[in-house]
């Protein structure tokens, strides 16, 4: 059976005039304003004093945790796509993950999150619509992870008698919002893959001509195929296990950065900061995670008793740890893959041209 794979233009319509529309300017401008505000508010003397205490070995340990964090994300992606590509090599998943996140450093609006599925689609000859829809399942797993982390934070705060009342209020607010969002997302995914949704999709496409109707329904089926792990309890549990590994490694990287400056941060505070950063970097923003990342980490640490100068220094160090190693690895992997991808795309173009003729 012929499998229709979306073209890069269909999947990521950011070329030409649509790349620099007003929404893009608003998002980038807002992020850069936040970053400018962060730089303006820096308590330079206290920041330099905190940075002078940094122990390089602990920063290196934090960088290792971040790299392992992304590797765990790649393995989770393998669980998500296993039902339609059980033989996907870990090497391909790892390279796709690093290349996508490296591109998030240089492209706005987290465009690397869309290019990552394109990479896998081309490398594994998979329908792009199916691979793209796995991003929704990953976001669902992230949301479930946030709910679980908030519950753990509340338990840790209760047992330690923490007096971080501001953090407690924020956790309650986040808990309600994230829980509702997660439930709605899960229900939407389950409904989309149901038999009634297929009937509705057929009805909605019935007014189109036969070629477009067939093409549209085929894309719909490909999208639904990528959502199937959310309907499988065992597959979902496997994804959640890797999600737990991601959260552990993210938390350890934060603790290592704080320890590098001899700043004590409770485990609940590190988890809280991990949640704040996860939510912050998931939003569309300027290239390089400038603005939201630094502000989210600074304000989170301040809630847990760290001085503002120490919090700002930690935000700068963790940003470097979070962005630079994975960007370097991603650029190296992109260089390795460039020749292969060029050959594959040329072959696909030739096949498309033959099919037209």
């Amino acid at each position: 059976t012929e499998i229709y794979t979306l073209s890069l233009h269909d999947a990521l319509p950011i070329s030409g005039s649509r790349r620099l529309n007003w929404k893009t300017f608003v998002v980038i401008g807002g992020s850069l304003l936040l970053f400018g505000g962060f730089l303006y508010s820096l308590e330079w003397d206290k920041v330099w004093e905190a940075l002078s205490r940094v122990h390089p070995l602990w920063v290196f340990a934090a960088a290792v945790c971040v790299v392992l964090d992304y590797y765990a994300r790649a393995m989770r992606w393998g669980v998500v796509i296993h039902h339609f590509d059980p033989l996907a090599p870990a090497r391909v998943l790892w390279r796709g993950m690093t290349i996508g996140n490296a591109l998030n450093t240089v492209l706005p609006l987290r465009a690397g999150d869309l290019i990552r599925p394109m990479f896998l689609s081309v490398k594994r000859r998979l329908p792009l619509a199916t691979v793209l829809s796995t991003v929704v399942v990953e976001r669902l797993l992230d949301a479930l992870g946030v709910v679980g982390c908030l519950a753990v934070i509340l338990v840790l705060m209760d047992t330690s008698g923490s007096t971080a009342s501001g953090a407690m209020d924020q956790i309650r607010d986040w808990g309600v919002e994230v829980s509702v969002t997660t439930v709605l997302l899960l229900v939407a995914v389950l409904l989309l893959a149901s038999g009634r949704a297929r009937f509705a999709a057929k009805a909605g496409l019935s007014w189109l001509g036969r070629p477009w109707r067939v093409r549209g329904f085929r894309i719909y089926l490909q999208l639904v195929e990528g959502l199937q792990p959310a309907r499988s309890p065992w597959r979902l549990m496997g994804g959640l296990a890797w999600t737990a590994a991601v959260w552990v490694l993210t938390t350890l990287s934060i603790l290592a950065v704080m320890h590098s400056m001899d700043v004590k941060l409770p485990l609940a505070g590190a988890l809280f900061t991990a949640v704040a950063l996860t939510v912050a970097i998931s939003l569309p923003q300027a290239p390089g995670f400038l603005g939201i990342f630094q502000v989210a980490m600074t304000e989170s640490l301040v809630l847990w008793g760290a001085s503002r100068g120490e919090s700002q220094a930690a935000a700068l160090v963790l940003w470097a740890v979070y962005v630079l190693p994975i960007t370097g690895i991603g650029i190296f992997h992109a260089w390795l893959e460039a020749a292969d991808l060029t050959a594959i795309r040329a072959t696909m173009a030739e096949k498309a041209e033959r099919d037209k003729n």
Side-chain angles (χ1 to χ4, degrees), residues 15-168:
S15 60
S17 62
R18 282 183 281 186
R19 178 180 297 177
L20 297 178
N21 57 32
W22 67 270
K23 294 180 182 179
T24 304
F25 280 117
V26 169
V27 171
I28 295 176
S31 297
L32 294 180
L33 280 176
L34 280 176
F35 186 63
F38 169 78
L39 292 178
Y40 181 79
S41 67
L42 281 178
E43 299 179 357
W44 291 100
D45 54 340
K46 295 179 181 178
V47 169
W48 286 119
E49 193 277 329
L51 291 176
S52 68
R53 303 197 307 264
V54 168
H55 300 289
L57 285 179
W58 282 106
V59 175
F60 177 76
V64 170
C65 288
V66 169
V67 172
L68 291 175
D69 177 344
Y70 280 106
Y71 186 79
R73 293 175 188 272
M75 295 303 99
R76 182 182 69 176
W77 194 22
V79 172
V80 172
I81 70 169
H82 184 269
H83 67 289
F84 61 83
D85 189 10
L87 301 179
R91 174 179 59 84
V92 172
L93 296 169
W94 170 231
R95 289 187 177 185
M97 183 64 64
T98 58
I99 291 171
N101 282 281
L103 290 172
N104 278 337
T105 305
V106 297
L107 296 178
L109 308 181
R110 293 188 60 90
D113 288 348
L114 296 179
I115 296 174
R116 171 167 61 93
M118 293 179 192
F119 172 86
L120 185 65
S121 173
V122 172
K123 289 288 289 185
R124 300 293 296 166
R125 307 295 207 281
L126 298 169
L128 183 52
T130 300
V131 187
L132 280 171
S133 62
T134 63
V135 176
V136 177
V137 180
E138 290 180 299
R139 292 294 171 263
L140 175 61
L141 291 169
D142 285 334
L144 291 170
V146 169
V147 174
C149 279
L150 293 177
V152 172
I153 293 170
L154 289 175
V155 172
L156 291 174
M157 291 180 73
D158 289 340
T159 57
S160 64
S162 174
T163 58
S165 58
M168 182 69 80

Side-chain angles (χ1 to χ4, degrees), residues 123-336:
K123 289 288 289 185
R124 300 293 296 166
R125 307 295 207 281
L126 298 169
L128 183 52
T130 300
V131 187
L132 280 171
S133 62
T134 63
V135 176
V136 177
V137 180
E138 290 180 299
R139 292 294 171 263
L140 175 61
L141 291 169
D142 285 334
L144 291 170
V146 169
V147 174
C149 279
L150 293 177
V152 172
I153 293 170
L154 289 175
V155 172
L156 291 174
M157 291 180 73
D158 289 340
T159 57
S160 64
S162 174
T163 58
S165 58
M168 182 69 80
D169 294 338
Q170 189 67 68
I171 290 169
R172 291 195 183 100
D173 292 341
W174 285 353
V176 173
E177 294 171 4
V178 174
S179 297
V180 171
T181 301
T182 303
V183 171
L184 292 177
L185 181 58
L186 180 58
V187 170
V189 168
L190 295 178
L191 289 177
L192 185 60
S194 66
R196 290 186 178 181
R198 295 190 180 201
F199 177 79
K202 282 186 177 181
L205 296 168
S206 61
W207 61 277
L208 296 173
R210 187 177 184 281
W212 289 102
R213 184 170 67 248
V214 172
R215 181 181 182 183
F217 191 66
R218 189 179 299 160
I219 294 174
Y220 165 77
L221 292 178
Q222 292 170 1
L223 287 169
V224 170
E225 180 70 13
L227 300 176
Q228 290 306 312
R231 298 176 61 87
S232 170
W234 288 109
R235 191 69 59 200
L236 203 58
M237 287 176 62
L240 285 173
W242 280 111
T243 300
V246 167
W247 282 104
V248 169
L249 290 164
T250 301
T251 304
L252 288 176
S253 66
I254 293 170
L255 287 172
V257 166
M258 300 306 293
H259 194 74
S260 74
M261 296 185 297
D262 298 321
V263 177
K264 294 188 179 298
L265 180 69
L267 179 57
L271 275 171
F272 180 90
T273 305
V275 171
L277 287 178
T278 298
V279 174
I281 66 176
S282 67
L283 301 173
Q285 54 198 275
F289 304 109
L290 295 177
I292 298 177
F293 185 103
Q294 292 79 13
V295 171
M297 184 165 184
T298 299
E299 298 305 323
S300 297
L301 293 175
V302 168
L303 279 176
W304 288 87
S307 70
R308 184 160 292 275
E310 291 173 337
S311 301
Q312 292 170 336
L316 292 173
V317 173
L318 188 66
W319 175 85
V321 165
Y322 219 88
V323 170
L324 299 183
I326 206 67
T327 299
I329 294 172
I331 291 173
F332 175 68
H333 283 163
W335 175 73
L336 291 177

